[in-house]
């Protein structure tokens, strides 16, 4: 871990107190904390040290790294050089081959027990050959690297839940980080990709407070994943009024009505898109007229069509219903005939009662 | 991509013809904070980036608050602008990074944003650096 | 030991396999019951009747919805609360947009929905009227004596979807996939129980009313 505190580092760069306070303001906003926390963040940052970060990319598409490098506040350059010491990231680092692996081993040795491990991508258990780095299987590298880590951040849906590689039929036997790492704190930062400022926000939280933020039951930081898209959606009033777009180009769609009927998964998706938005807070999927896909939820690839309303069953119910009608008619007919038989038997066995049967003293006569 | 380049793209934002309630709640918060400032000298800040704005809503708020008598520009780690709205005591603060992207936007209910004052840490450094005979 | 590792897995199962199972049982059950009724048949009528069966039969389905004075005088509570319950229940079932979306997906028909605040109010009224009817059943000595376990089962499986729907709509259980999953599961329970209990009245009432109407519409002697 770097000996210098972040404050000292900023001072060396000739940054004034105002600059530092501005930095703290941006960081507080980034961490989704209220502005009243700015002095506390400033206080914590004065003594914060840059943590060493080792970034492992397994079965992934680099979309998460692409997202991170578009994190605008603070810039990724600032993030890498000022906030954290990114010691290993095989896509971003200049070194390659043995030198790269050596950087990882060195960082682990120097910061044993204190470094952060960021993982993007799932880990194949079916056949380790599906994904290796420098001849080391993903599972081995994960176990080896996490052994000396303070905490693990699983960035992206693949590392948090298994994601696309784990989708049915899961050819590589992919699993999530949480299903393998049980003895270290794991922070899940799901999304496909996660919102860039959420990735940096979580890193910033660790940097500032040296601790992991409060997590929900799926291991996600509550500040970013505490509320559903639906609850924070600006189109929510239309849902409540019963005004829905029914196609992507009807009058309702043009007027910006609720996208529930077009398959929006906002009600079941917990993420910060509605407030943090994307592309420098320009917009987000629902604002652009497309429903939420639910990309920050487990199994979202297998959760049925993106364009089917949440209340619609997902299975092949038409087929089930067809078989059921046939079976019902057949069994019903059989039961009906049994009933008729019973009835006709009863009728045939019926003997007429005459007055004589009621004569109590018949024998005495 | 800088924010100017983004602003250059000619897109038409259609403001929805309904009220999401965001403006109502934020103006209520501002009004309450202004009362507190007057009675107890308590300051308050609102992070505008934590609001689930609908398209065009943030602009509407800024238009309503308008511009008052004073504006200040700061240059530290990129530009920052401070200006008082047409309502005294309500300041709009925007922080940019070196690439001119917005990295923080707040409404401060105060007599003057803290950051505009000369900071004692910086004054101390000035004292060390100032020379009687330049 | 967890069967579902996440609430989403649970929701997926409820929307997938569980729904298919429930739907299969519902349809098989309903068809068995209907076939049994229809195959019982009616005795062949050798005499030529005057009048028709269909008109009076269909008319009776509608007219029997109006309460006759005698019934109202005997049991005003049951009539009034019964009406409130059924109207509110149908508002909730047929005019909540996610429900319409389900019906549209399954049957290909749709109609405009109602604002959710309205549906929400109807849900509360429906639940209150169900509770009132349970209270009535438990406090009325004759009703209580006549009630079997089936009556309480039917009350329970009818009440549950309303309660879980209310909870899901107001997001009172976290996370939401669990709340929604419980709601759908409770409906599936209702679907499974439906054909084998007096809930079947929702279908058989039309048959019974038609039959009564048809008999009354028939004029002439029967062989």
């Amino acid at each position: 871990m770097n000996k210098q505190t972040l404050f000292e580092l900023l001072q060396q760069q000739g940054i004034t107190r105002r600059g530092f306070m501005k930095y703290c303001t941006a960081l507080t906003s980034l961490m989704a904390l209220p502005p009243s926390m700015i002095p506390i963040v400033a206080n914590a940052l004065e003594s914060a040290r840059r943590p060493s970060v080792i970034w492992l990319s397994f079965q992934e598409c680099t979309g998460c790294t692409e997202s991170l490098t578009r994190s605008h506040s603070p810039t990724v350059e600032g993030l890498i050089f000022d906030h954290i010491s990114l010691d290993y990231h095989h896509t971003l680092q200049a070194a390659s081959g043995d030198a790269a692996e050596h950087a990882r081993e060195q960082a682990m040795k120097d910061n044993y027990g204190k470094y952060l491990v960021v993982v993007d991508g799932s880990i194949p258990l079916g056949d380790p050959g599906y994904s290796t780095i420098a001849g080391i299987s993903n599972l081995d590298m994960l176990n080896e690297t996490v052994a000396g880590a303070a905490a693990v951040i699983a960035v992206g849906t693949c590392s948090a839940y298994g994601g696309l590689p784990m989708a049915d039929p899961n050819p590589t036997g992919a699993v999530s980080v949480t299903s393998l790492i049980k003895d270290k704190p794991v922070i899940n930062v799901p999304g496909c990709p996660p919102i860039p400022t959420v990735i940096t926000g979580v890193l910033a939280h660790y940097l500032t407070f040296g601790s992991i933020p409060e997590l929900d039951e799926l291991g996600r930081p509550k500040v970013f994943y505490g509320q559903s898209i639906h609850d924070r959606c600006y189109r929510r009033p239309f849902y409540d009024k019963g005004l829905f777009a029914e196609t992507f180009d009807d009058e309702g769609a043009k007027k910006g009505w609720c996208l529930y009927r077009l398959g929006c998964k906002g009600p079941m998706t917990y993420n910060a898109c509605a407030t943090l938005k994307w592309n420098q807070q320009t917009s987000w999927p629902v604002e652009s007229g497309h429903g939420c896909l639910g990309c920050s939820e487990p199994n979202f690839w297998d959760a049925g069509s993106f364009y089917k309303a949440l209340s619609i069953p997902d299975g092949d119910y038409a087929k089930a219903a067809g078989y059921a009608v046939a079976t019902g008619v057949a069994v019903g007919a059989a039961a009906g005939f049994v009933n008729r038989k019973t009835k006709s038997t009863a009728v045939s066995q019926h003997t007429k009662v005459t007055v004589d049967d009621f004569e109590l003293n018949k024998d005495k006569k | 991509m800088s924010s100017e380049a983004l602003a250059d793209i000619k897109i038409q934002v259609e403001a929805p013809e309904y009220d999401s309630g965001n403006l109502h709640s934020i103006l209520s918060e501002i009004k309450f904070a202004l009362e507190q400032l007057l009675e107890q000298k308590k300051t308050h800040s609102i992070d505008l980036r934590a609001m689930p704005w609908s398209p065009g809503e943030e602009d509407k708020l800024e238009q309503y608050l308008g511009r008052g008598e004073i504006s200040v520009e700061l240059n530290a780690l990129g530009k920052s602008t401070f200006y008082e709205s047409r309502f005294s005591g309500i300041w709009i603060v925007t922080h940019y990074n070196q690439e001119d992207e917005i990295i923080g936007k707040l409404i401060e209910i105060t007599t003057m944003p803290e950051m505009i004052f000369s900071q004692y840490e910086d004054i101390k450094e000035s004292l060390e650096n100032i020379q009687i005979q330049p | 030991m967890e069967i579902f590792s996440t609430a989403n897995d649970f929701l997926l199962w409820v929307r997938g396999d569980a729904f298919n199972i429930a739907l299969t049982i519902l349809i098989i059950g309903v068809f068995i019951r209907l076939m049994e009724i229809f195959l019982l048949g009616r005795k062949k009528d050798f005499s030529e009747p005057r009048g028709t069966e269909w008109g009076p039969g269909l008319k009776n389905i509608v007219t029997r919805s109006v309460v006759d004075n005698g019934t109202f005088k005997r049991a005003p509570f049951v009539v009034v609360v019964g009406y409130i319950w059924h109207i509110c229940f149908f508002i909730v079932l047929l005019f909540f947009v996610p429900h319409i979306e389900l019906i549209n997906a399954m049957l290909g028909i749709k109609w405009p929905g109602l604002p959710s605040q309205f549906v929400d109010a109807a849900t509360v009224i429906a639940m209150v009227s169900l509770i009132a009817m349970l209270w009535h059943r438990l406090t009325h000595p004759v009703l209580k004596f006549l009630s079997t376990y089936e009556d309480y089962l039917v009350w329970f499986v009818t009440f549950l979807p309303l309660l879980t729907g209310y909870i899901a709509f107001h997001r009172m259980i976290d996370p939401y996939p669990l709340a929604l999953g419980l709601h759908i599961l409770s409906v599936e329970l209702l679907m499974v129980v439906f054909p084998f209990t007096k809930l079947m009245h929702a279908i058989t009432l039309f048959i019974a009313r038609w039959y009564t109407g048809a008999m009354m519409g028939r004029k002439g002697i029967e062989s």
Side-chain angles (χ1 to χ4, degrees):
Chain A
M1 188 162 294
N2 205 295
K3 288 269 156 43
Q4 273 179 319
T5 68
L6 189 81
F7 184 59
E8 286 163 350
L9 204 83
L10 290 172
Q11 265 187 332
Q12 268 179 18
Q13 293 171 6
I15 286 157
T16 59
R17 181 73 189 174
R18 282 198 190 105
F20 179 66
M21 289 311 292
K22 175 175 168 176
Y23 181 87
C24 294
T25 306
L27 214 59
T28 308
S29 172
L30 180 69
M31 288 187 277
L33 296 173
S36 56
M37 287 289 286
I38 295 170
I40 297 163
V41 169
N43 216 354
L45 274 182
E46 277 175 6
S47 53
R49 283 165 208 286
R50 299 158 68 212
S52 167
V53 174
I54 296 176
W55 186 299
L56 303 175
S57 298
F58 297 146
Q59 292 194 127
E60 45 83 45
C61 67
T62 316
C64 295
T65 298
E66 289 285 343
S67 175
L68 174 74
T69 55
R70 275 146 191 77
S71 154
H72 52 93
S73 67
T75 60
V76 69
E77 295 86 354
L79 179 87
I80 293 171
F81 298 116
D82 295 342
H83 309 181
I84 60 169
S85 168
L86 188 58
D87 293 324
Y88 177 84
H89 186 307
H90 69 219
T91 312
L92 296 182
Q93 73 193 138
S96 62
D98 283 345
E101 293 314 306
H102 181 69
R104 180 174 65 88
E105 283 154 18
Q106 193 62 41
M108 284 164 60
K109 217 173 94 186
D110 293 348
N111 307 292
Y112 199 83
K114 293 174 198 156
Y115 59 86
L116 276 180
V117 175
V118 178
V119 182
D120 68 331
S122 63
I123 300 100
L125 294 186
D127 180 345
Y130 281 118
S131 173
T132 62
I133 298 159
I136 308 166
S137 77
N138 288 171
L139 181 63
D140 288 345
M141 188 177 275
L142 179 71
N143 285 333
E144 187 189 312
T145 315
V146 166
V152 184
I153 303 175
V155 165
T157 298
C158 294
S159 68
Y161 313 127
L164 182 63
M166 203 180 86
D168 189 47
N170 190 4
T172 64
V175 296
S176 65
V177 171
T178 20
S179 64
L180 296 171
I181 305 298
K182 302 286 179 198
D183 55 343
K184 300 274 177 182
V186 179
I187 308 166
N188 281 336
V189 185
C192 195
I195 302 172
T197 43
V198 170
I199 307 177
T200 45
V202 172
L203 285 169
H205 186 102
Y206 186 81
L207 160 89
T208 310
F209 301 111
S211 64
I212 63 170
E214 199 192 341
L215 306 176
D216 71 2
E217 68 279 0
L218 288 170
R220 305 177 290 199
K222 279 188 178 169
V223 280
F224 299 114
Y225 298 91
Q227 279 176 312
S228 72
I229 296 290
H230 187 62
D231 281 340
R232 300 295 271 168
C233 183
Y234 76 93
R235 295 194 187 202
R236 176 64 186 268
F238 290 122
Y239 174 86
D240 289 331
K241 281 183 196 142
L243 298 172
F244 296 86
E246 293 182 31
T247 64
F248 284 107
D249 57 355
D250 68 357
E251 208 46 43
K254 283 174 191 152
K255 285 182 175 160
W257 289 355
C258 178
L259 299 164
Y260 183 93
R261 289 185 144 175
L262 290 168
C264 181
K265 302 295 182 290
M268 59 166 284
T269 307
Y270 292 77
N271 208 336
C273 303
T275 45
L276 294 182
K277 306 190 179 179
W278 289 77
N279 301 322
Q280 299 176 42
Q281 288 211 302
T282 303
S283 181
W284 60 294
V286 169
E287 193 171 332
S288 309
H290 193 288
C292 168
L293 305 181
C295 78
S296 58
E297 294 298 319
N299 293 331
F300 92 99
W301 291 105
D302 288 328
S305 168
F306 291 153
Y307 302 100
K308 223 177 194 180
L310 196 53
S311 60
I312 300 174
D314 194 45
D316 195 355
Y317 48 82
K319 204 168 138 195
Y323 285 130
V325 170
T327 316
V329 169
V331 177
F337 282 117
V338 171
N339 289 344
R340 280 188 109 158
K341 190 89 202 308
T342 315
K343 193 177 156 193
S344 62
T345 315
V347 169
S348 68
Q349 284 174 353
H350 180 81
T351 47
K352 286 212 169 68
V353 181
T354 62
V355 179
D356 293 342
D357 295 326
F358 289 104
E359 266 187 62
L360 298 173
N361 300 324
K362 200 163 79 178
D363 295 340
K364 285 182 186 169
K365 254 189 182 172
Chain B
M1 195 202 283
S2 74
S3 53
E4 280 98 338
L6 199 68
D8 285 343
I9 303 171
K10 294 279 174 263
I11 49 161
Q12 191 192 349
V13 177
E14 281 178 50
E17 83 286 0
Y18 75 100
D19 182 16
S20 72
N22 282 331
L23 287 179
H24 180 84
S25 68
I26 204 161
L27 286 169
S28 308
E29 188 178 349
I30 290 172
K31 202 174 169 194
F32 178 74
L34 211 54
E35 273 172 29
Q36 298 260 304
L37 180 66
L38 199 59
E39 287 162 16
Q40 303 168 27
K41 297 197 177 359
K42 249 175 87 178
T43 63
H44 184 67
S45 310
I46 302 165
D47 186 353
L48 286 180
R49 306 211 311 163
M51 295 292 294
W53 298 116
S54 69
E57 212 171 22
E58 203 177 346
D59 296 340
K60 220 166 143 188
L61 176 70
E62 276 180 55
Q63 268 166 28
Y64 175 71
L65 292 176
R67 268 180 175 274
E69 298 166 325
I70 178 168
S71 63
V72 177
E73 195 176 305
L74 165 75
N75 275 298
L77 285 171
K79 194 177 75 178
S80 291
T81 60
F82 303 77
Y83 68 85
E84 197 176 35
S85 73
R86 67 187 170 102
F87 304 100
S88 182
I90 301 172
W91 291 73
I92 288 95
V93 181
T94 315
H95 297 299
Y96 300 84
N97 64 12
Q98 275 105 333
E99 280 88 48
D100 248 3
E101 297 161 356
I102 294 173
I103 58 169
K105 194 162 185 184
L106 303 104
I107 286 183
E108 291 199 25
I109 292 91
T110 178
T111 50
M112 172 133 81
E114 201 61 38
M115 225 179 274
I116 297 178
F117 289 102
S118 296
Q119 310 283 308
Y120 285 103
E121 288 85 346
D122 297 336
I123 297 171
K124 203 176 130 207
E125 207 171 330
S126 301
L127 189 63
E128 285 164 14
N129 292 342
I130 197 163
Q131 290 164 346
I132 302 294
Q133 280 164 330
Chain C
M1 178 65 200
E2 286 172 292
I3 303 168
F4 303 106
S5 55
T6 63
N8 277 42
D9 288 344
F10 169 64
L11 180 61
L12 275 185
W13 177 74
V14 164
R15 286 176 66 204
D17 292 345
F19 183 81
N20 283 351
I21 294 168
L23 185 70
T24 308
I25 296 176
L26 172 76
I27 293 176
I28 293 178
V30 166
F31 272 87
I32 291 177
R33 294 287 303 265
L34 290 180
M35 290 298 282
E36 274 192 295
I37 293 166
F38 292 138
L39 286 175
L40 272 179
R42 293 161 65 186
K43 272 209 189 101
K44 200 161 170 61
D45 187 3
F46 295 106
S47 71
E48 185 143 340
R50 285 176 292 121
T52 58
E53 291 186 329
W54 278 103
L58 292 174
K59 191 177 151 215
N60 196 52
I61 288 176
V62 181
T63 53
R64 279 288 158 111
S65 298
V66 182
V67 197
D68 77 288
N69 219 2
T71 313
F72 184 74
K73 274 187 183 144
R74 271 196 309 279
F77 178 86
V78 175
V79 170
V80 172
V81 181
Y83 261 86
I84 294 174
W85 145 251
H86 277 93
I87 290 168
C88 288
F89 173 74
F90 280 113
I91 288 174
V92 176
L93 178 69
L94 299 178
F95 292 100
F96 186 48
V97 170
H99 296 167
I100 297 174
E101 207 49 39
L102 168 72
I103 294 164
N104 184 30
M106 304 210 52
L107 303 174
I109 44 171
K110 64 178 172 183
W111 49 84
L114 284 173
S116 29
Q117 288 91 338
F118 200 82
V119 176
D120 190 35
T123 312
V124 174
I125 299 169
M127 283 196 289
V128 169
S129 54
L130 266 190
I131 292 168
M133 281 197 280
L134 181 67
W135 171 80
H136 181 64
R137 187 182 282 280
L138 289 170
T139 50
H140 193 289
V142 178
L143 260 182
K144 196 179 177 199
F145 176 76
L146 290 172
S147 298
T148 61
Y149 87 95
E150 188 193 317
D151 294 304
Y152 298 108
L153 173 75
V154 162
W155 184 92
F156 180 71
V157 296
T158 313
F159 186 75
L160 218 50
L162 286 163
L163 181 68
T164 53
Y166 185 81
I167 287 171
F169 178 74
H170 290 277
R171 309 177 82 87
M172 291 153 100
I173 293 179
D174 254 351
Y176 180 74
L178 178 64
L180 180 63
L182 286 174
H183 174 58
I184 298 175
L185 187 66
S186 68
V187 175
E188 285 160 0
L189 183 67
L190 178 70
M191 286 162 72
V192 168
V193 171
F194 181 90
F196 310 107
T197 56
K198 52 178 67 172
L199 287 171
M200 192 63 190
H201 78 273
I203 294 174
T204 49
L205 83 95
F206 296 105
I207 304 168
R209 281 183 185 178
W210 183 85
Y211 190 56
T212 312
M215 283 201 298
M216 291 190 298
R218 188 186 188 285
K219 293 189 178 73
I221 357 165
E222 227 172 322
S223 65

